[in-house]
Amino acid sequence: MMEQPHSCCKGAEVLLNLQPTSSVSIQYHPFFGPHDDLVLLELDEKLLSDVLYQRVTLRGQPDEDAVLCTKSKTYSVKFVGTSNSVFLIPPADCSTSHESGGENYKQQVATASVIKVAPGNMELVEVAPRLDKLKSILSENLYSSDEASTAMGDLYKWDDLINKVQASDDELKAGLQALSAVEIDGYWRIVDEKYMDVILRMLLHNSVLNDWSLDSLVEDKVVSVLESDGFPCKLVYHCLNVYGSRVEEEAMGGGVWRLDARRVCVHFARGILREGKRKMESFMEEWLRMIPEEMQPSFDMLEGEVLTEKLGVETWVRALSVSSLPTTPAERFSILFKERAKWEWKDLEPYIRDLNVPGLSSEALLLKYTRRSQPSIDAEPVFSAR
Amino acid sequence: MQIQVKCSCGAEKCPEWAIIELQGVVEVQPSFQHSLQNLQIGLLCRPSSQENYTFTVGYHELTGSKVALKKPMVVLKKIKYMDVATSSSSCVELDVVGVIRHKILFKTRPTALISGPQPTVKEKINAAGA
């Protein structure tokens, strides 16, 4: 008994493997129709395996444009229509195909059936993750010293964040890191700056009392002392993470940490300027007083954190932290130009350094969102709103 | 909200679908509008060993070729179901049911064949595109 040929005489297969001098009849499928539930998605070859191996998800709220996320990247999904007729032909399902004509008639004519005429296809454009929402929802309920009485409203676990924020897992983790968020009892929280200030000051106070070096703080000692002062151990670790870095891995007394001078100095500068701008001399005097003896502050530590302006003969300092600005370029530039109409490059750069738009270099960003002018040949170029 | 993109057939077994693309619109004679199923649109032939094809629709003949897509496409099927487990309202899933890597593309003006009996399906030249 001869074996049935493996290849089907129907469907996409016959079309794609059509032999020379052969023909195939193109027909409307028995189930031809609009099939709005069938969509075509064009993607780069390198994304194909992520899709086929079920490593991508679509994320977004019903009122948002959907984004497609791999483990580490985010893509916006756009529909592109076509005026051509795109006949979509599925593979034949040979097991359920029904032969037209009698049993004895050998099906010699190959057929391929069109299930749908596609109006177009979806395509993907890589985009920056939409992290502004992360900051705003976590800022709804800052973790503060009177946490017990104020913890109301919405708190978010990792899975809640995935559902609300249009970003890939890796980008979401990086976003949480950038916000200095901390996971407490399964919920991701941003700690109130005033509370962080209290913890940091207590740490520094104890360092002086106990003669600890800020370059080699012993984790276990720090945690036990501050815990006995009433601070939750989770927050003490968080404080070490925010203002320092681990220099040695788990050893006898736990890890060893070094406080980062820039992060500590920026923290105190922000505290001083929280109530409003200050004259330079007054600011510098108070700032130097607050900073631990071992640390050498310098004004350029504050780039991207403060703006200086000359009013008459006085120089004033005020807070403007890049971390408080929107992550989308259009909104970022809009706020920057509201703060100051004209910027020199050296002042502007720290405030746009972190902008991330896939496919746009910083020169291209400047071209797109700013107007560059140069008062005279040897003057510095100046950037203003378009 | 998160919608998982699945591939229930399995990545290695994901079947290849095909596309025939032409400029213009295929028109069906009015009396056949409501019984399209199994109606022949036309005959696709491959005359030689080259990847050139002719497509005869009604009294028009189109010539074209099989091209590899610059970027592959996947065919996604939207599946809506009621999630009994979480008793939430309808859930949506996307299932990859096919991959498309090639299409047979016709982009030249059709030539008219010697007129025969009125075809049930004919190709209408797209006024803008042709």
Side-chain angles (χ1 to χ4, degrees), chain A residues 17 30 34 75 80 92 104 124 134 184 232 234-235 252 299 323 383:
Chain A
N17 298 307
Y75 300 84
V80 177
N104 298 323
L124 301 177
L134 178 65
I184 298 174
K234 203 70 205 258
L235 287 196
M252 280 274 288
F299 201 76
S323 62
F383 297 90

Side-chain angles (χ1 to χ4, degrees), chain A residues 12-13 15-32 35-45 48-49 51-62 68 82-91 98 109-110 113-115 121-122 124 162-164 169, chain B residues 1-8 10-12 14-28 36-51 53 55 66 71-79 94-106 121 126:
Chain A
E13 304 96 314
L15 189 58
L16 295 168
N17 298 307
L18 197 59
Q19 294 303 301
T21 71
S22 302
S23 56
V24 53
S25 166
I26 309 296
Q27 300 176 341
Y28 287 106
H29 196 280
F31 301 125
F32 176 82
H35 295 288
D36 295 327
D37 59 333
L38 279 181
V39 280
L40 300 178
L41 172 65
E42 180 191 72
L43 28 78
D44 283 322
E45 186 71 51
L48 186 58
S49 61
V51 172
L52 293 177
Y53 285 96
Q54 307 189 145
R55 295 190 288 256
V56 307
T57 58
L58 240 59
R59 292 182 180 174
Q61 297 296 99
L68 184 140
T82 178
S83 57
N84 285 354
S85 289
V86 175
F87 293 115
L88 188 58
I89 296 167
H98 53 275
V109 179
S113 301
V114 176
I115 189 78
N121 58 265
M122 312 300 284
L124 301 177
I162 293 286
N163 277 325
K164 291 223 151 206
D169 285 6
Chain B
M1 210 173 70
Q2 201 181 188
I3 296 174
Q4 186 68 39
V5 177
K6 296 197 155 142
C7 183
S8 50
E12 289 90 16
C14 199
E16 196 171 342
W17 290 41
I19 279 177
I20 292 175
E21 185 172 339
L22 39 90
Q23 289 173 349
V25 172
V26 162
E27 259 184 9
V28 177
L36 290 178
Q37 289 74 10
N38 296 315
L39 189 64
Q40 187 190 56
I41 299 171
L43 195 68
L44 188 89
C45 305
R46 181 183 174 186
S48 73
S49 58
Q50 293 183 318
E51 292 284 3
Y53 295 79
F55 191 28
K66 180 158 82 166
K71 290 191 193 183
M73 287 207 269
V74 290
V75 184
L76 292 170
K77 191 176 164 79
K78 269 191 261 190
I79 305 168
L94 288 170
D95 193 18
V96 180
V97 295
V99 180
I100 305 173
R101 296 184 179 279
H102 298 94
K103 64 182 177 187
I104 305 193
L105 175 65
F106 296 92
V121 175
N126 186 333

